[in-house]
Amino acid sequence: SEYCKKLRVCVATCNRADYSKLAPIMLGIKSHSDEFDLEVVVLGSHLIDDYGNTFRMIEQDDFDIGSKLHTIVRGEDEASMVESVGLALVKLPDILQRLNPDILIVHGDRFDALALAIAAALMNIRILHLEGGEVSGTIDDSIRHSISKLAHYHACCTRRAEQHLIAMCEDHSRILLAGCPSYDKLLSTHHRDDYMDIIKSWLGDKVKEHDYIVALQHPVTTDIQHSIKIYGLMLDALMSFNKKTLILFPNIDAGSKEMVRVMRKKGIEQHPNFRAMKHIPFDQFIQLVCHAGCMIGNSSCGVREAGAFGTPVINLGTRQTGRETGENVLHVRDADTHNKIYHALELQFGKRYPCSKIYGDGNAVPRILKFLRTINLEEPLQKTFCFPLVKDCISQDIDHILETQSALAIDLGGTNLRVAIVCMRGKIVKKYSQPNPKTFDARMQLILKMCTEAMRDAVRLNCRILGVGVSTGGRVNPQEGVVLHSTELIQEWSSVDLRTPISDALHLPVWVDNDGNCAALAERKFGHGKGVENFVTVITGTGIGGGIIHHNELIHGSTYCAAELGHIIVSLEGPECSCGSQGCIEAYASGMALQREAKRLHDEDLLKVDGMDMKLSEQVTAAHLIDAARLGNSKADAILNRASTALGVGIVNILHIVNPSLVILSGILAPYYQASVQQIISKRALFSAQSIKVVTSDLEEPALLGAASMVLDYATRRVY
């Protein structure tokens, strides 16, 4: 057979934690010496006495250590971590040049691993990164993701980690979902017969299974002071909990020195319940975790390995909160009192949970070896990233940033035609108002004239107009920007395409919706509806309209006729409505209906009462009716009672159909109706709907603000 070149694999290990993941792979590579050459490089805290000189366990496992690099600058603070990375970068090139491996295997998220990845990437050595794509919730995330960016191949542990790597633009074909290699050892060795001997050798002869605690807490480098405080509280809680406790010294990160100081100050090493250790061989440590009553601290071992045995875990602080966990983990994110930690110990100690296989099934190593065999050294070394499609975004210009993003809002009402410039925060920067012309041509002409004037002013006012929003009476198809069918109040306004002419004239996107829907949108963005998932807005003005927000979106209906709340029919006969039907709420409770009744009373000389201020020539309005009722006119009072009952019953119907959590009354008559509507709901609605609140809108200009919100919400999204 033709000579087949062996794959030169270099495994670099920096501390006891990564060795527990790398050892099973090293063993696998070594046992296939016909296919692979293994080189072992040891650096980092393996070589430091305070951390237990852990390189010896590599020798005990019968691996030849090709190179030992002293790369740690002592000091255990932020600066010394950075200096250690620098020192490793100075020493690694010689070694890598001498070994010249085909592939370098790097594990995890430690600063030493970052140095390895930088060196190998710059020296054109292929990198296989283990355990990429995970999220723990500390600076480690930034380092881990940086190594993923430098690595050419990835062996990850969980499905979610794989998805994260793909989302980070890594090439799908170079990611292996292997599971965690330490699980290969875990799942095969945790049924040892001599486990009690191991436990007794570390914790003394009196100890019983499930009746001791394993504690392992590391510093969180981004908040060292807080780490030290949590460590002190944990030790206090453990002392008062009064169970045998095996405590491991923290790792080498910034802050560990101070943590050891706290431990010494509290006399932990002399305390009869505690055994403090710098290092425990992984296979023995596994037995200790497997049979512990509980594990406490913030080591990833608690979140990952302990789950395989169902050992209860208390995770303190934020070092692991991003990780996927089994149900055996209880988080104490805010571990700010001794009491909380003590309570967590009471809850977890001695329980047993189902074994969780999130992080692996025990077959990671065979998968990784198979993956290594498929690496083609002929294919180009240069990584390619798989970027998702992103819409071209325009680079920002400084003026663009300094401008206020704004919308042009148009409100077409029964009487007036109004235009406003509205900024992002819902402030009306400038408002224009004209009587709404009676004919179509005059109306369109006036809209364009007012908009052009507003656009000129916007430049002067430093507002960047992102689009135009139109609120109009009648039924509207918002997808097409067309008014389908108008109300009686606006003539010559059916089947009108508003989008095209406005968009053509102003070169801006245009959104159109009816005034009721716009009022609901205004409440959603700027008013009482902010953050409310389901609510209804009812406008009580000249007419009655409204909008329904369901799951944060407007309901338009199949023929754009949804939320025509003014035309809910509350009586079989009842007064005639402008829509041609009878008994609609609008025919009872709108401004028009009240004005009609006021005129009727006035014609019969039954309106005016003493103390009412009313000129003869003055036009009679709803306000006069309210005034008369307030001054004791019983006829006027009866009319208003009937109006608020009709409105209340209509709203009860709405509650029974869409069951919102809030009703917002808007429009000029809202404050007048609010209390009586609330009362009718509590009398006439079904029990489950009686508690629904009715509030009066605080917005001055719901139609304009709602029209603007269509623009501000959509135009500022990157994607339509």
Side-chain angles (χ1 to χ4, degrees):
S1 70
E2 59 174 49
Y3 168 71
C4 183
K5 188 171 162 291
K6 289 197 215 174
L7 192 70
R8 276 200 307 284
V9 183
C10 174
V11 177
T13 167
C14 319
N15 59 25
R16 62 177 183 220
D18 73 20
Y19 182 63
S20 70
K21 314 288 168 86
L22 292 166
I25 300 173
M26 290 157 65
L27 198 64
I29 292 171
K30 194 174 150 186
S31 59
H32 290 83
S33 56
D34 52 329
E35 301 173 82
F36 303 106
D37 269 332
L38 175 67
E39 283 291 348
V40 180
V41 175
V42 172
L43 63 157
S45 46
H46 273 310
L47 302 167
I48 293 181
D49 185 38
D50 290 12
Y51 294 90
N53 273 336
T54 47
F55 73 89
R56 295 217 179 89
M57 65 185 187
I58 303 174
E59 295 174 336
Q60 278 159 8
D61 287 346
D62 226 22
F63 290 114
D64 296 328
I65 297 178
S67 324
K68 288 194 189 107
L69 295 185
H70 288 273
T71 58
I72 297 294
V73 177
R74 299 310 297 270
E76 278 81 19
D77 59 5
E78 291 92 335
S80 53
M81 282 160 69
V82 181
E83 289 174 8
S84 300
V85 171
L87 187 54
L89 287 172
V90 170
K91 294 187 172 188
L92 280 165
D94 283 355
I95 302 287
L96 292 176
Q97 229 155 4
R98 182 166 58 77
L99 297 176
N100 188 21
D102 296 318
I103 192 145
L104 171 72
I105 299 183
V106 177
H107 167 273
D109 52 26
R110 316 277 311 138
F111 57 84
D112 333 64
L114 180 61
L116 281 160
I118 293 172
L122 290 173
M123 293 179 73
N124 291 330
I125 294 166
R126 293 161 197 268
I127 302 165
L128 168 64
H129 182 211
L130 292 187
E131 244 179 73
E134 293 186 20
V135 176
S136 54
T138 55
I139 181 73
D140 300 352
D141 287 345
S142 305
I143 295 180
R144 187 181 318 106
H145 299 334
S146 307
I147 298 172
S148 294
K149 290 286 112 204
L150 293 163
H152 304 79
Y153 305 96
H154 310 272
C156 60
C157 302
T158 68
R159 175 81 12 112
R160 192 186 300 171
E162 178 183 38
Q163 288 165 348
H164 286 165
L165 285 169
I166 293 166
M168 291 185 324
C169 314
E170 293 300 313
D171 179 348
H172 197 282
S173 66
R174 292 184 166 205
I175 302 171
L176 167 72
L177 175 54
C180 185
S182 67
Y183 266 53
D184 290 28
K185 206 162 166 186
L186 288 190
L187 298 173
S188 61
T189 61
H190 86 272
H191 296 300
R192 282 171 61 164
D193 304 331
D194 60 348
Y195 69 86
M196 271 325 286
D197 303 343
I198 294 173
I199 295 169
K200 285 178 174 161
S201 71
W202 293 98
L203 279 153
D205 290 337
K206 299 238 170 47
V207 71
K208 294 187 183 60
E209 188 176 2
H210 301 332
D211 196 39
Y212 61 91
I213 296 172
V214 176
L216 178 50
Q217 176 87 358
H218 298 303
V220 171
T221 52
T222 40
D223 193 348
I224 291 169
Q225 279 337 98
H226 188 58
S227 298
I228 294 163
K229 183 182 161 198
I230 291 184
Y231 194 55
L233 292 170
M234 173 181 91
L235 295 175
D236 291 341
L238 286 167
M239 285 197 283
S240 45
F241 196 68
N242 200 19
K243 288 283 178 198
K244 279 265 181 260
T245 301
L246 180 75
I247 185 160
L248 269 95
F249 278 67
N251 66 14
I252 196 163
D253 282 339
S256 54
K257 241 199 188 129
E258 286 95 326
M259 284 172 70
V260 173
R261 212 169 286 146
V262 171
M263 185 161 136
R264 300 224 151 109
K265 215 155 124 195
K266 292 190 187 287
I268 294 294
E269 286 162 301
Q270 287 73 45
H271 193 289
N273 268 345
F274 283 84
R275 297 289 161 93
M277 299 296 162
K278 284 177 185 165
H279 169 66
I280 298 176
F282 184 70
D283 50 345
Q284 298 188 32
F285 184 59
I286 283 312
Q287 298 304 316
L288 287 160
V289 171
C290 176
H291 301 283
C294 170
M295 182 168 182
I296 186 169
N298 62 6
S299 158
S300 62
C301 174
V303 178
R304 306 166 66 103
E305 282 86 349
F309 316 124
T311 302
V313 172
I314 297 166
N315 179 54
L316 301 178
T318 53
R319 189 166 180 264
Q320 307 292 348
T321 43
R323 293 214 195 250
E324 297 171 78
T325 65
E327 55 189 292
N328 62 314
V329 178
L330 175 66
H331 285 290
V332 186
R333 284 182 176 73
D334 238 357
D336 50 4
T337 63
H338 157 273
N339 218 1
K340 262 189 210 171
I341 302 175
Y342 188 83
H343 191 62
L345 281 163
E346 288 186 314
L347 284 174
Q348 288 284 71
F349 186 78
K351 274 193 173 165
R352 268 322 204 224
Y353 288 92
C355 304
S356 125
K357 300 277 169 71
I358 300 175
Y359 283 95
D361 59 359
N363 299 308
V365 174
R367 286 190 192 107
I368 290 169
L369 295 180
K370 194 169 160 193
F371 187 64
L372 286 171
R373 291 183 191 107
T374 63
I375 290 176
N376 175 6
L377 298 177
E378 300 304 309
E379 67 176 33
L381 229 168
Q382 178 53 51
K383 278 182 76 167
T384 49
F385 295 104
C386 306
F387 293 105
L389 286 169
V390 180
K391 276 181 76 116
D392 290 344
C393 63
I394 306 113
S395 324
Q396 295 223 331
D397 178 75
I398 185 71
D399 293 336
H400 182 110
I401 298 163
L402 296 175
E403 284 174 324
T404 320
Q405 297 194 312
S406 310
L408 212 54
I410 304 174
D411 174 29
L412 285 143
T415 21
N416 290 322
L417 165 55
R418 299 177 316 145
V419 172
I421 301 169
V422 181
C423 78
M424 213 26 139
R425 283 194 283 286
K427 195 174 124 244
I428 293 182
V429 183
K430 188 155 188 197
K431 198 161 37 176
Y432 311 81
S433 182
Q434 297 276 345
N436 193 348
K438 295 280 177 271
T439 66
F440 170 75
D441 293 327
R443 193 175 299 132
M444 273 326 289
Q445 228 172 333
L446 182 60
I447 289 174
L448 296 177
K449 180 169 161 288
M450 287 170 80
C451 286
T452 317
E453 185 190 346
M455 290 290 287
R456 268 202 307 274
D457 289 346
V459 176
R460 191 173 49 72
L461 294 163
N462 204 24
C463 291
R464 169 168 290 225
I465 303 291
L466 301 170
V468 184
V470 185
S471 157
T472 171
R475 257 64 65 213
V476 173
N477 174 340
Q479 266 84 36
E480 304 295 332
V482 170
V483 182
L484 301 171
H485 182 104
S486 176
T487 60
E488 291 297 297
L489 299 171
I490 311 175
Q491 297 299 312
E492 299 191 14
W493 205 236
S494 291
S495 317
V496 174
D497 173 3
L498 278 181
R499 179 172 291 160
T500 311
I502 299 175
S503 185
D504 288 352
L506 303 177
H507 306 294
L508 284 171
V510 176
W511 284 266
V512 188
D513 212 327
N514 93 347
D515 46 7
N517 287 342
C518 285
L521 291 174
E523 296 295 341
R524 180 180 77 175
K525 191 166 174 67
F526 304 113
H528 292 304
K530 222 191 254 179
V532 181
E533 210 177 325
N534 304 302
F535 70 89
V536 172
T537 302
V538 181
I539 311 177
T540 49
T542 319
I544 288 185
I548 298 173
I549 298 276
H550 186 65
H551 293 321
N552 298 318
E553 296 295 339
L554 272 176
I555 295 183
H556 283 106
S558 59
T559 56
Y560 308 105
C561 198
E564 279 295 344
L565 307 180
H567 301 292
I568 290 178
I569 296 172
V570 288
S571 139
L572 296 178
E573 280 81 41
E576 282 195 10
C577 178
S578 61
C579 70
S581 179
Q582 51 190 155
C584 298
I585 311 179
E586 189 172 287
Y588 284 105
S590 64
M592 284 185 308
L594 296 182
Q595 183 181 27
R596 183 193 67 220
E597 292 299 310
K599 278 188 178 143
R600 192 174 58 72
L601 283 183
H602 188 59
D603 293 345
E604 298 172 23
D605 266 341
L606 294 173
L607 182 62
K608 204 165 172 329
V609 288
D610 289 346
M612 241 176 101
D613 183 22
M614 195 172 175
K615 320 265 180 312
L616 284 171
S617 58
E618 198 175 353
Q619 182 169 10
V620 183
T621 65
H624 291 126
L625 190 71
I626 291 171
D627 228 11
R630 210 185 57 233
L631 292 166
N633 180 332
S634 58
K635 290 244 181 344
D637 199 40
I639 289 165
L640 286 170
N641 259 337
R642 192 175 72 138
S644 42
T645 307
L647 180 64
V649 169
I651 288 174
V652 168
N653 290 337
I654 299 167
L655 301 189
H656 291 168
I657 296 168
V658 285
N659 193 20
S661 53
L662 180 67
V663 175
I664 303 170
L665 294 184
S666 143
I668 193 132
L669 295 166
Y672 178 78
Y673 282 132
Q674 187 263 331
S676 37
V677 167
Q678 186 81 72
Q679 214 177 353
I680 287 161
I681 290 175
S682 60
K683 281 209 198 97
R684 303 183 69 160
L686 288 170
F687 180 72
S688 309
Q690 285 174 8
S691 57
I692 294 170
K693 273 257 175 301
V694 179
V695 296
T696 308
S697 172
D698 293 338
L699 302 177
E700 299 274 310
E701 294 287 2
L704 288 171
L705 288 176
S709 91
M710 294 191 282
V711 178
L712 299 172
D713 280 353
Y714 293 103
T716 53
R717 282 188 200 163
R718 275 276 174 254
V719 206
Y720 276 82

